[in-house]
Amino acid sequence: MAESHAPRQAPRQVPRQVPGQVHGPARRLAEGVRAYRLIAGMWVRSTMAYRASFAMTTFGNFAATFLDFVAIMLMFSRVDALGGYPLPEVAFLYGLSATSFGLADLVIGSMDRLGRRVRDGTLDTLLVRPAPVLAQVAADRFALRRLGRVTQGALVLGWSLTRVDIDWTADRLLLMPVMVVSGCGIFCAVFVAGAAFQFVAQDASEVQNAFTYGGTTLLQYPPTVFAKELVRGVTFVLPLAFVNWLPATHVLGRPYPLGLPEWTAFTPPLVAVACGALAGLAWRAGLRSYRSTGS
């Protein structure tokens, strides 16, 4: 018999697992959090080097956003209720929306600058760095002055809780922190999805702002003042209603205009996770479609 001279395949080498080492998506998440923390910390240190300027810009941010609530108070100088909601209940909706959006704007508000980076080609500098691009874009020019918006929303929310008549039960108490955290997550997902759209449109920051800044303005008013078609759109298409409308109507003991079951008031965390997953997929698709300017 002829002896085979075919080369033998080398045994496949399996990478040695180091105890305690994190791999896969968890490792990428840890790297992203670390990169975000380092970049944001750099901008915070830069901001605090000029503390007087920081104090003035933060106060300016606080005052500018407070004018929105002043406009609502002026409305109530002429009417007793807006869509069947008195001023304390409208302030409750306003405070929830402003606080949730303020936190999202603080954490990830710089995403609306992505279109400018795509247009002038500076996104390429982020692609060659050993850090996740999403974390770099989100932490870029981290603006601590946006705490003014968060503070203003929290103060209005606190004031409303002293005035609104709520039958506090265990589930209603539980919903309070859940609404704020889940609302922040939903708005963060909208920011990321809007940034992913800018990979295609490039100069679409105003379109993104229509769903972020415009969305929080919409949620500051009761759902009963809007047409049911719009309420359906922000419930089933772009689920901003889960930021405050749905859970807040349960806390206030009011029926939701679409007649949804009461258990939907407890679904904002699930909606936030689903929105985050979809926004992540959109971001990856947009990043893969990106083509450099070539300059």
Side-chain angles (χ1 to χ4, degrees), residues 10 258 287:
L258 302 181
L287 191 61

Side-chain angles (χ1 to χ4, degrees), residues 87-273:
L87 177 59
E89 294 184 351
V90 174
F92 183 69
L93 295 177
Y94 177 98
L96 287 171
S97 174
T99 305
S100 298
F101 177 77
L103 290 172
D105 190 36
L106 173 68
V107 173
I108 205 170
S110 298
M111 296 296 296
D112 60 1
R113 301 182 68 253
L114 179 67
R116 189 182 309 170
R117 283 190 172 277
V118 172
R119 190 170 61 254
D120 60 21
T122 56
L123 182 64
D124 294 356
T125 61
L126 305 185
L127 294 174
V128 298
R129 294 175 182 171
V133 180
L134 179 59
Q136 295 184 68
V137 176
D140 184 38
R141 297 187 180 276
F142 184 86
L144 198 61
R145 67 178 183 276
R146 291 170 180 160
L147 281 174
R149 179 188 293 272
V150 180
T151 304
Q152 184 264 337
L155 288 177
V156 173
L157 179 60
W159 176 84
S160 69
L161 291 175
T162 64
R163 301 287 181 143
V164 73
D165 184 18
I166 298 177
D167 180 19
W168 289 109
T169 58
D171 58 340
R172 289 186 170 97
L173 286 171
L174 177 64
L175 270 178
M176 290 302 299
V178 168
M179 279 189 286
V180 175
V181 175
S182 300
C184 174
I186 292 172
F187 274 123
C188 284
V190 176
F191 269 111
V192 174
F197 176 70
Q198 293 192 53
F199 279 112
V200 179
Q202 295 187 6
D203 192 10
S205 59
E206 294 304 322
V207 176
Q208 179 179 349
N209 292 341
F211 294 98
T212 52
Y213 292 91
T216 186
T217 302
L218 175 76
L219 297 177
Q220 291 169 359
Y221 296 90
T224 50
V225 303
F226 300 104
K228 284 195 174 182
E229 289 75 13
L230 178 60
V231 177
R232 290 191 185 96
V234 296
T235 303
F236 301 111
V237 181
L238 184 65
L240 293 176
F242 291 86
V243 173
N244 65 344
W245 278 0
L246 266 167
T249 51
H250 175 76
V251 172
L252 297 173
R254 288 182 171 272
Y256 193 64
L258 302 181
L260 297 177
E262 291 188 5
W263 59 264
T264 55
F266 299 92
T267 57
L270 299 177
V271 175
V273 171

